[in-house]
PDB file of all heavy atoms in Angstrom:
ATOM      1  N   ARG A   1     129.621 168.914 -61.722  1.00 96.00           N
ATOM      2  CA  ARG A   1     128.769 167.931 -61.113  1.00 96.00           C
ATOM      3  C   ARG A   1     129.459 167.572 -59.733  1.00 96.00           C
ATOM      4  O   ARG A   1     130.616 167.057 -59.757  1.00 96.00           O
ATOM      5  CB  ARG A   1     128.688 166.654 -61.980  1.00 96.00           C
ATOM      6  CG  ARG A   1     127.868 166.858 -63.219  1.00 96.00           C
ATOM      7  CD  ARG A   1     127.616 165.500 -63.991  1.00 96.00           C
ATOM      8  NE  ARG A   1     128.781 164.787 -64.170  1.00 96.00           N
ATOM      9  CZ  ARG A   1     129.821 165.049 -65.061  1.00 96.00           C
ATOM     10  NH1 ARG A   1     129.578 166.143 -65.792  1.00 96.00           N
ATOM     11  NH2 ARG A   1     130.824 164.253 -65.094  1.00 96.00           N
ATOM     12  N   ILE A   2     128.801 167.710 -58.711  1.00 98.00           N
ATOM     13  CA  ILE A   2     129.330 167.510 -57.334  1.00 98.00           C
ATOM     14  C   ILE A   2     128.535 166.319 -56.635  1.00 98.00           C
ATOM     15  O   ILE A   2     127.365 166.462 -56.489  1.00 98.00           O
ATOM     16  CB  ILE A   2     129.355 168.750 -56.528  1.00 98.00           C
ATOM     17  CG1 ILE A   2     130.126 169.908 -57.177  1.00 98.00           C
ATOM     18  CG2 ILE A   2     129.852 168.455 -55.084  1.00 98.00           C
ATOM     19  CD1 ILE A   2     130.059 171.184 -56.466  1.00 98.00           C
ATOM     20  N   LEU A   3     129.239 165.338 -56.218  1.00 98.00           N
ATOM     21  CA  LEU A   3     128.502 164.299 -55.476  1.00 98.00           C
ATOM     22  C   LEU A   3     128.893 164.419 -53.958  1.00 98.00           C
ATOM     23  O   LEU A   3     129.970 164.542 -53.591  1.00 98.00           O
ATOM     24  CB  LEU A   3     129.111 162.941 -55.906  1.00 98.00           C
ATOM     25  CG  LEU A   3     128.491 161.650 -55.187  1.00 98.00           C
ATOM     26  CD1 LEU A   3     126.951 161.532 -55.508  1.00 98.00           C
ATOM     27  CD2 LEU A   3     129.213 160.372 -55.520  1.00 98.00           C
ATOM     28  N   PHE A   4     127.795 164.611 -53.225  1.00 98.00           N
ATOM     29  CA  PHE A   4     127.895 164.578 -51.753  1.00 98.00           C
ATOM     30  C   PHE A   4     128.080 163.158 -51.347  1.00 98.00           C
ATOM     31  O   PHE A   4     126.946 162.441 -51.575  1.00 98.00           O
ATOM     32  CB  PHE A   4     126.750 165.286 -51.096  1.00 98.00           C
ATOM     33  CG  PHE A   4     126.890 166.747 -51.046  1.00 98.00           C
ATOM     34  CD1 PHE A   4     127.963 167.455 -51.840  1.00 98.00           C
ATOM     35  CD2 PHE A   4     126.075 167.543 -50.182  1.00 98.00           C
ATOM     36  CE1 PHE A   4     127.962 168.902 -51.684  1.00 98.00           C
ATOM     37  CE2 PHE A   4     126.223 168.968 -50.172  1.00 98.00           C
ATOM     38  CZ  PHE A   4     127.236 169.596 -50.811  1.00 98.00           C
ATOM     39  N   LEU A   5     129.026 162.816 -50.637  1.00 98.00           N
ATOM     40  CA  LEU A   5     128.965 161.538 -49.946  1.00 98.00           C
ATOM     41  C   LEU A   5     128.952 161.711 -48.410  1.00 98.00           C
ATOM     42  O   LEU A   5     129.872 162.315 -47.929  1.00 98.00           O
ATOM     43  CB  LEU A   5     130.287 160.713 -50.296  1.00 98.00           C
ATOM     44  CG  LEU A   5     130.470 159.385 -49.725  1.00 98.00           C
ATOM     45  CD1 LEU A   5     129.348 158.369 -50.202  1.00 98.00           C
ATOM     46  CD2 LEU A   5     131.798 158.665 -50.096  1.00 98.00           C
ATOM     47  N   THR A   6     127.878 161.567 -47.787  1.00 97.00           N
ATOM     48  CA  THR A   6     127.588 161.966 -46.467  1.00 97.00           C
ATOM     49  C   THR A   6     126.974 160.981 -45.579  1.00 97.00           C
ATOM     50  O   THR A   6     126.126 160.106 -46.141  1.00 97.00           O
ATOM     51  CB  THR A   6     126.774 163.305 -46.391  1.00 97.00           C
ATOM     52  OG1 THR A   6     126.661 163.697 -45.233  1.00 97.00           O
ATOM     53  CG2 THR A   6     125.417 163.004 -47.129  1.00 97.00           C
ATOM     54  N   HIS A   7     127.015 160.939 -44.322  1.00 96.00           N
ATOM     55  CA  HIS A   7     126.457 160.074 -43.432  1.00 96.00           C
ATOM     56  C   HIS A   7     124.959 160.357 -43.352  1.00 96.00           C
ATOM     57  O   HIS A   7     124.131 159.457 -43.154  1.00 96.00           O
ATOM     58  CB  HIS A   7     127.150 160.118 -42.034  1.00 96.00           C
ATOM     59  CG  HIS A   7     126.537 159.271 -40.993  1.00 96.00           C
ATOM     60  ND1 HIS A   7     126.635 157.867 -40.927  1.00 96.00           N
ATOM     61  CD2 HIS A   7     125.681 159.463 -40.031  1.00 96.00           C
ATOM     62  CE1 HIS A   7     126.026 157.357 -39.965  1.00 96.00           C
ATOM     63  NE2 HIS A   7     125.374 158.373 -39.388  1.00 96.00           N
ATOM     64  N   ALA A   8     124.605 161.567 -43.360  1.00 95.00           N
ATOM     65  CA  ALA A   8     123.212 161.929 -43.332  1.00 95.00           C
ATOM     66  C   ALA A   8     123.045 163.319 -43.905  1.00 95.00           C
ATOM     67  O   ALA A   8     123.927 164.037 -44.040  1.00 95.00           O
ATOM     68  CB  ALA A   8     122.734 162.021 -41.813  1.00 95.00           C
ATOM     69  N   PHE A   9     121.839 163.668 -44.149  1.00 96.00           N
ATOM     70  CA  PHE A   9     121.516 164.986 -44.766  1.00 96.00           C
ATOM     71  C   PHE A   9     121.249 165.973 -43.656  1.00 96.00           C
ATOM     72  O   PHE A   9     120.074 166.431 -43.489  1.00 96.00           O
ATOM     73  CB  PHE A   9     120.396 164.877 -45.763  1.00 96.00           C
ATOM     74  CG  PHE A   9     120.354 166.064 -46.842  1.00 96.00           C
ATOM     75  CD1 PHE A   9     121.406 166.318 -47.564  1.00 96.00           C
ATOM     76  CD2 PHE A   9     119.120 166.605 -47.078  1.00 96.00           C
ATOM     77  CE1 PHE A   9     121.323 167.436 -48.416  1.00 96.00           C
ATOM     78  CE2 PHE A   9     119.022 167.631 -48.038  1.00 96.00           C
ATOM     79  CZ  PHE A   9     120.122 168.000 -48.784  1.00 96.00           C
ATOM     80  N   ASN A  10     122.298 166.313 -42.896  1.00 95.00           N
ATOM     81  CA  ASN A  10     122.064 167.149 -41.718  1.00 95.00           C
ATOM     82  C   ASN A  10     122.108 168.686 -42.107  1.00 95.00           C
ATOM     83  O   ASN A  10     122.155 168.937 -43.241  1.00 95.00           O
ATOM     84  CB  ASN A  10     123.180 166.747 -40.805  1.00 95.00           C
ATOM     85  CG  ASN A  10     124.641 167.227 -41.211  1.00 95.00           C
ATOM     86  OD1 ASN A  10     124.826 167.592 -42.372  1.00 95.00           O
ATOM     87  ND2 ASN A  10     125.606 166.998 -40.341  1.00 95.00           N
ATOM     88  N   SER A  11     122.138 169.487 -41.057  1.00 95.00           N
ATOM     89  CA  SER A  11     122.122 170.940 -41.301  1.00 95.00           C
ATOM     90  C   SER A  11     123.165 171.408 -42.239  1.00 95.00           C
ATOM     91  O   SER A  11     122.959 172.300 -43.027  1.00 95.00           O
ATOM     92  CB  SER A  11     122.100 171.681 -39.956  1.00 95.00           C
ATOM     93  OG  SER A  11     123.217 171.408 -39.148  1.00 95.00           O
ATOM     94  N   LEU A  12     124.466 170.980 -41.907  1.00 97.00           N
ATOM     95  CA  LEU A  12     125.684 171.365 -42.863  1.00 97.00           C
ATOM     96  C   LEU A  12     125.338 170.874 -44.239  1.00 97.00           C
ATOM     97  O   LEU A  12     125.650 171.738 -45.115  1.00 97.00           O
ATOM     98  CB  LEU A  12     126.836 170.857 -42.107  1.00 97.00           C
ATOM     99  CG  LEU A  12     128.110 171.054 -42.979  1.00 97.00           C
ATOM    100  CD1 LEU A  12     128.379 172.475 -43.229  1.00 97.00           C
ATOM    101  CD2 LEU A  12     129.260 170.304 -42.268  1.00 97.00           C
ATOM    102  N   SER A  13     125.039 169.674 -44.385  1.00 98.00           N
ATOM    103  CA  SER A  13     124.879 169.136 -45.694  1.00 98.00           C
ATOM    104  C   SER A  13     123.822 169.850 -46.505  1.00 98.00           C
ATOM    105  O   SER A  13     123.812 170.157 -47.684  1.00 98.00           O
ATOM    106  CB  SER A  13     124.513 167.604 -45.681  1.00 98.00           C
ATOM    107  OG  SER A  13     125.510 166.916 -44.969  1.00 98.00           O
ATOM    108  N   GLN A  14     122.717 170.159 -45.807  1.00 97.00           N
ATOM    109  CA  GLN A  14     121.506 170.831 -46.502  1.00 97.00           C
ATOM    110  C   GLN A  14     121.926 172.263 -46.884  1.00 97.00           C
ATOM    111  O   GLN A  14     121.664 172.696 -47.932  1.00 97.00           O
ATOM    112  CB  GLN A  14     120.388 170.966 -45.499  1.00 97.00           C
ATOM    113  CG  GLN A  14     119.657 169.656 -45.236  1.00 97.00           C
ATOM    114  CD  GLN A  14     118.394 169.829 -44.480  1.00 97.00           C
ATOM    115  OE1 GLN A  14     117.679 170.813 -44.537  1.00 97.00           O
ATOM    116  NE2 GLN A  14     118.011 168.784 -43.668  1.00 97.00           N
ATOM    117  N   ARG A  15     122.677 173.027 -46.050  1.00 97.00           N
ATOM    118  CA  ARG A  15     123.110 174.434 -46.374  1.00 97.00           C
ATOM    119  C   ARG A  15     124.109 174.316 -47.543  1.00 97.00           C
ATOM    120  O   ARG A  15     123.995 175.126 -48.555  1.00 97.00           O
ATOM    121  CB  ARG A  15     123.851 174.954 -45.119  1.00 97.00           C
ATOM    122  CG  ARG A  15     124.510 176.341 -45.369  1.00 97.00           C
ATOM    123  CD  ARG A  15     123.431 177.439 -45.411  1.00 97.00           C
ATOM    124  NE  ARG A  15     124.059 178.749 -45.731  1.00 97.00           N
ATOM    125  CZ  ARG A  15     124.805 179.505 -44.816  1.00 97.00           C
ATOM    126  NH1 ARG A  15     124.840 179.112 -43.593  1.00 97.00           N
ATOM    127  NH2 ARG A  15     125.299 180.602 -45.190  1.00 97.00           N
ATOM    128  N   LEU A  16     125.070 173.383 -47.517  1.00 98.00           N
ATOM    129  CA  LEU A  16     126.009 173.346 -48.577  1.00 98.00           C
ATOM    130  C   LEU A  16     125.272 172.923 -49.942  1.00 98.00           C
ATOM    131  O   LEU A  16     125.475 173.421 -51.079  1.00 98.00           O
ATOM    132  CB  LEU A  16     127.079 172.306 -48.400  1.00 98.00           C
ATOM    133  CG  LEU A  16     128.031 172.628 -47.316  1.00 98.00           C
ATOM    134  CD1 LEU A  16     129.074 171.502 -47.054  1.00 98.00           C
ATOM    135  CD2 LEU A  16     128.851 173.938 -47.640  1.00 98.00           C
ATOM    136  N   PHE A  17     124.318 172.066 -49.784  1.00 98.00           N
ATOM    137  CA  PHE A  17     123.635 171.478 -51.020  1.00 98.00           C
ATOM    138  C   PHE A  17     122.770 172.795 -51.604  1.00 98.00           C
ATOM    139  O   PHE A  17     122.829 172.872 -52.847  1.00 98.00           O
ATOM    140  CB  PHE A  17     122.581 170.423 -50.589  1.00 98.00           C
ATOM    141  CG  PHE A  17     121.675 169.933 -51.653  1.00 98.00           C
ATOM    142  CD1 PHE A  17     122.053 168.920 -52.470  1.00 98.00           C
ATOM    143  CD2 PHE A  17     120.519 170.567 -51.851  1.00 98.00           C
ATOM    144  CE1 PHE A  17     121.143 168.431 -53.342  1.00 98.00           C
ATOM    145  CE2 PHE A  17     119.633 170.159 -52.936  1.00 98.00           C
ATOM    146  CZ  PHE A  17     119.900 168.961 -53.706  1.00 98.00           C
ATOM    147  N   ALA A  18     122.097 173.518 -50.871  1.00 97.00           N
ATOM    148  CA  ALA A  18     121.328 174.515 -51.244  1.00 97.00           C
ATOM    149  C   ALA A  18     122.143 175.682 -51.917  1.00 97.00           C
ATOM    150  O   ALA A  18     121.941 176.187 -52.909  1.00 97.00           O
ATOM    151  CB  ALA A  18     120.473 175.158 -50.136  1.00 97.00           C
ATOM    152  N   GLU A  19     123.309 175.988 -51.182  1.00 98.00           N
ATOM    153  CA  GLU A  19     124.171 177.164 -51.626  1.00 98.00           C
ATOM    154  C   GLU A  19     124.812 176.800 -52.851  1.00 98.00           C
ATOM    155  O   GLU A  19     124.946 177.501 -53.860  1.00 98.00           O
ATOM    156  CB  GLU A  19     125.122 177.504 -50.554  1.00 98.00           C
ATOM    157  CG  GLU A  19     124.498 178.007 -49.279  1.00 98.00           C
ATOM    158  CD  GLU A  19     124.305 179.493 -49.291  1.00 98.00           C
ATOM    159  OE1 GLU A  19     124.465 180.107 -50.439  1.00 98.00           O
ATOM    160  OE2 GLU A  19     124.007 180.131 -48.216  1.00 98.00           O
ATOM    161  N   LEU A  20     125.415 175.530 -52.981  1.00 98.00           N
ATOM    162  CA  LEU A  20     126.245 175.173 -54.238  1.00 98.00           C
ATOM    163  C   LEU A  20     125.226 175.019 -55.361  1.00 98.00           C
ATOM    164  O   LEU A  20     125.649 175.221 -56.515  1.00 98.00           O
ATOM    165  CB  LEU A  20     126.952 173.875 -53.918  1.00 98.00           C
ATOM    166  CG  LEU A  20     128.114 173.963 -52.837  1.00 98.00           C
ATOM    167  CD1 LEU A  20     128.833 172.708 -52.655  1.00 98.00           C
ATOM    168  CD2 LEU A  20     128.893 175.074 -53.068  1.00 98.00           C
ATOM    169  N   SER A  21     124.064 174.463 -55.054  1.00 97.00           N
ATOM    170  CA  SER A  21     122.956 174.409 -56.163  1.00 97.00           C
ATOM    171  C   SER A  21     122.743 175.770 -56.696  1.00 97.00           C
ATOM    172  O   SER A  21     122.637 176.057 -57.949  1.00 97.00           O
ATOM    173  CB  SER A  21     121.760 173.653 -55.763  1.00 97.00           C
ATOM    174  OG  SER A  21     122.026 172.401 -55.315  1.00 97.00           O
ATOM    175  N   ALA A  22     122.540 176.784 -55.706  1.00 96.00           N
ATOM    176  CA  ALA A  22     122.249 178.190 -56.183  1.00 96.00           C
ATOM    177  C   ALA A  22     123.436 178.706 -56.850  1.00 96.00           C
ATOM    178  O   ALA A  22     123.284 179.535 -57.760  1.00 96.00           O
ATOM    179  CB  ALA A  22     121.981 179.047 -54.890  1.00 96.00           C
ATOM    180  N   ASP A  23     124.768 178.226 -56.686  1.00 97.00           N
ATOM    181  CA  ASP A  23     125.878 178.693 -57.350  1.00 97.00           C
ATOM    182  C   ASP A  23     125.894 178.172 -58.820  1.00 97.00           C
ATOM    183  O   ASP A  23     126.753 178.647 -59.682  1.00 97.00           O
ATOM    184  CB  ASP A  23     127.150 178.299 -56.594  1.00 97.00           C
ATOM    185  CG  ASP A  23     127.326 178.989 -55.323  1.00 97.00           C
ATOM    186  OD1 ASP A  23     126.657 180.010 -55.213  1.00 97.00           O
ATOM    187  OD2 ASP A  23     128.274 178.627 -54.657  1.00 97.00           O
ATOM    188  N   GLY A  24     125.017 177.255 -59.142  1.00 96.00           N
ATOM    189  CA  GLY A  24     125.021 176.773 -60.503  1.00 96.00           C
ATOM    190  C   GLY A  24     125.610 175.263 -60.683  1.00 96.00           C
ATOM    191  O   GLY A  24     125.556 174.743 -61.705  1.00 96.00           O
ATOM    192  N   HIS A  25     125.983 174.737 -59.596  1.00 97.00           N
ATOM    193  CA  HIS A  25     126.544 173.301 -59.646  1.00 97.00           C
ATOM    194  C   HIS A  25     125.448 172.324 -59.596  1.00 97.00           C
ATOM    195  O   HIS A  25     124.240 172.665 -59.138  1.00 97.00           O
ATOM    196  CB  HIS A  25     127.466 173.114 -58.374  1.00 97.00           C
ATOM    197  CG  HIS A  25     128.650 174.036 -58.450  1.00 97.00           C
ATOM    198  ND1 HIS A  25     129.622 173.989 -59.340  1.00 97.00           N
ATOM    199  CD2 HIS A  25     128.973 174.922 -57.443  1.00 97.00           C
ATOM    200  CE1 HIS A  25     130.498 174.953 -58.983  1.00 97.00           C
ATOM    201  NE2 HIS A  25     130.164 175.544 -57.884  1.00 97.00           N
ATOM    202  N   ARG A  26     125.609 171.211 -60.259  1.00 96.00           N
ATOM    203  CA  ARG A  26     124.652 170.170 -60.156  1.00 96.00           C
ATOM    204  C   ARG A  26     125.130 169.181 -59.027  1.00 96.00           C
ATOM    205  O   ARG A  26     126.096 168.556 -59.152  1.00 96.00           O
ATOM    206  CB  ARG A  26     124.524 169.411 -61.486  1.00 96.00           C
ATOM    207  CG  ARG A  26     123.448 168.466 -61.548  1.00 96.00           C
ATOM    208  CD  ARG A  26     123.000 168.127 -62.928  1.00 96.00           C
ATOM    209  NE  ARG A  26     121.659 167.638 -63.001  1.00 96.00           N
ATOM    210  CZ  ARG A  26     121.134 167.345 -64.182  1.00 96.00           C
ATOM    211  NH1 ARG A  26     121.680 167.426 -65.350  1.00 96.00           N
ATOM    212  NH2 ARG A  26     119.836 166.775 -64.197  1.00 96.00           N
ATOM    213  N   VAL A  27     124.389 169.124 -57.964  1.00 97.00           N
ATOM    214  CA  VAL A  27     124.693 168.426 -56.721  1.00 97.00           C
ATOM    215  C   VAL A  27     123.736 167.235 -56.598  1.00 97.00           C
ATOM    216  O   VAL A  27     122.560 167.307 -56.622  1.00 97.00           O
ATOM    217  CB  VAL A  27     124.626 169.261 -55.434  1.00 97.00           C
ATOM    218  CG1 VAL A  27     125.089 168.639 -54.260  1.00 97.00           C
ATOM    219  CG2 VAL A  27     125.457 170.610 -55.742  1.00 97.00           C
ATOM    220  N   SER A  28     124.427 166.033 -56.380  1.00 97.00           N
ATOM    221  CA  SER A  28     123.675 164.866 -56.110  1.00 97.00           C
ATOM    222  C   SER A  28     124.173 164.264 -54.785  1.00 97.00           C
ATOM    223  O   SER A  28     125.277 164.553 -54.467  1.00 97.00           O
ATOM    224  CB  SER A  28     123.795 163.793 -57.228  1.00 97.00           C
ATOM    225  OG  SER A  28     122.766 162.714 -57.038  1.00 97.00           O
ATOM    226  N   VAL A  29     123.275 163.518 -54.146  1.00 98.00           N
ATOM    227  CA  VAL A  29     123.650 163.078 -52.768  1.00 98.00           C
ATOM    228  C   VAL A  29     123.693 161.485 -52.722  1.00 98.00           C
ATOM    229  O   VAL A  29     122.720 160.929 -53.269  1.00 98.00           O
ATOM    230  CB  VAL A  29     122.739 163.654 -51.742  1.00 98.00           C
ATOM    231  CG1 VAL A  29     123.103 163.115 -50.309  1.00 98.00           C
ATOM    232  CG2 VAL A  29     122.757 165.231 -51.711  1.00 98.00           C
TER     233      VAL A  29
END
């Protein structure tokens, strides 16, 4: 379970969110 703590859901955050979710992690923002 990975929590993203981020200022905004920008291009970097979106890419990491999508890739880590595809890796099987459960990602919340």
